Amino acid sequence: MDNLTGKPLLRSMMGERIWRLFDTDKAAFQRETIAYFERGYPGWSVKKVKYPHVFLEDKR
C-alpha cells in the first residue's frame, strides 16, 4: 500500500539481465525496466525499485 495515495501496490521481480544495468547504465536500466513492465503489466507503472523487488502502481 502506498502511504501517500493509499493505492495498493503490486510487488514483482525481473531478471538479472536488467538488474546488471543498474550499476553500469542507469538510463538503460530505467528504460528496460519500464519497457519490461509495460509488456507484462499493461495499465501499471513502476513506482519504486529496490533489489530484488519492483513496486508497481495501478494506473487504470
Side-chain angles (χ1 to χ4, degrees):
M1 185 74 76
D2 185 357
N3 291 336
L4 296 176
T5 65
K7 290 184 175 182
L9 297 177
L10 173 69
R11 182 172 55 184
S12 189
M13 299 173 84
M14 61 187 169
E16 288 299 317
R17 179 189 69 80
I18 298 174
W19 281 111
R20 281 193 295 270
L21 293 171
F22 186 81
D23 293 324
T24 59
D25 188 348
K26 296 279 190 200
F29 174 77
Q30 290 176 341
R31 187 175 54 251
E32 291 290 322
T33 300
I34 291 169
Y36 179 84
F37 287 104
E38 281 179 347
R39 285 188 305 270
Y41 294 93
W44 291 76
S45 64
V46 176
K47 180 75 171 178
K48 179 179 169 181
V49 176
K50 185 172 182 178
Y51 185 82
H53 297 109
V54 179
F55 296 89
L56 305 171
E57 183 178 36
D58 190 355
K59 294 293 186 179
R60 297 175 283 170

